[in-house]
Amino acid sequence: IALLVITVLMLGAAALHLPRWMLVVFLVSFMFIKAGMIAGNFMHLKYEHRDLVITVVVGILVTSGILLAYVTPESASVFQKTVR
């Protein structure tokens, strides 16, 4: 039920016409909350040893950082081409 409520809030946030940076921060924050809930409950990380949980979290953060490093310059380039 909590995942459903968070998803509805995330979908409803777009209708509020928030500034883009605020919308992105809101959506990313709730995305991390949902990911934590899913990992804890459905991947059973809630019951695992702390070392395994840390390994999974660090892996996700490193992968996200690498993805961000590749996507950010490309998105800036696309934005510059579409604005002109």
Side-chain angles (χ1 to χ4, degrees), residues 5-34:
V5 169
I6 292 172
T7 302
V8 169
L9 287 173
M10 290 174 71
L11 291 172
L16 295 177
H17 303 292
L18 299 170
R20 177 151 326 259
W21 69 270
M22 192 180 295
L23 180 63
V24 169
V25 169
F26 178 80
L27 292 176
V28 169
S29 300
F30 276 103
M31 178 199 62
F32 278 121
I33 292 170
K34 283 176 58 175

Side-chain angles (χ1 to χ4, degrees), residues 7-82:
T7 302
V8 169
L9 287 173
M10 290 174 71
L11 291 172
L16 295 177
H17 303 292
L18 299 170
R20 177 151 326 259
W21 69 270
M22 192 180 295
L23 180 63
V24 169
V25 169
F26 178 80
L27 292 176
V28 169
S29 300
F30 276 103
M31 178 199 62
F32 278 121
I33 292 170
K34 283 176 58 175
M37 291 172 66
I38 290 168
N41 291 314
F42 299 117
M43 295 175 63
H44 306 288
L45 289 178
K46 185 173 17 178
Y47 308 109
E48 295 294 338
H49 292 281
R50 185 176 308 258
D51 293 339
L52 178 63
V53 174
I54 291 171
T55 302
V56 171
V57 169
V58 168
I60 290 171
L61 291 175
V62 168
T63 304
S64 298
I66 292 170
L67 181 62
L68 182 67
Y70 282 110
V71 170
T72 302
E74 182 64 27
S75 63
S77 172
V78 170
F79 179 72
Q80 288 175 354
K81 290 177 184 176
T82 57

